Amino acid sequence: MQTMTKEKERQLNIKDRCDRCNAQAWVMAKGIDGDLLFCSHHFTKHEEALYNWAYEIIDERDYINEKSQSSA
């Protein structure tokens, strides 16, 4: 019997850049005033404040060590 697992579709791609340092963004914080993109370092640095500010956080840091794939 073959089991198929559906991979979750990524919402961020290689063109998305951190608003603080321009590194590849792995996290998007969605707030009522707009969206902010963060690399892993800057998200971790501001994580507590962002969870209080954002209504949704898309965290794709689990993909950091996988082969880079451009979904452009």
Side-chain angles (χ1 to χ4, degrees):
M1 183 166 83
Q2 186 178 17
T3 305
M4 293 181 68
T5 57
K6 185 177 180 182
E7 187 175 322
K8 183 180 167 187
E9 187 175 323
R10 293 188 54 190
Q11 296 185 38
L12 299 172
N13 66 53
I14 201 163
K15 292 181 181 180
D16 292 317
R17 308 316 272 173
C18 176
D19 291 328
R20 301 288 291 178
C21 70
N22 207 33
Q24 184 173 351
W26 295 99
V27 181
M28 177 188 290
K30 293 185 173 191
I32 58 170
D33 295 333
D35 301 342
L36 296 172
L37 296 170
F38 293 95
C39 64
S40 181
H41 165 79
H42 282 113
F43 177 74
T44 301
K45 185 175 181 180
H46 302 288
E47 186 170 1
E48 187 176 332
L50 288 168
Y51 275 109
N52 290 324
W53 174 81
Y55 66 85
E56 181 182 6
I57 293 184
I58 299 165
D59 186 349
E60 296 186 351
R61 291 178 291 172
D62 291 343
Y63 294 100
I64 289 175
N65 292 323
E66 291 185 6
K67 277 189 168 182
S68 275
Q69 293 184 16
S70 175
S71 54

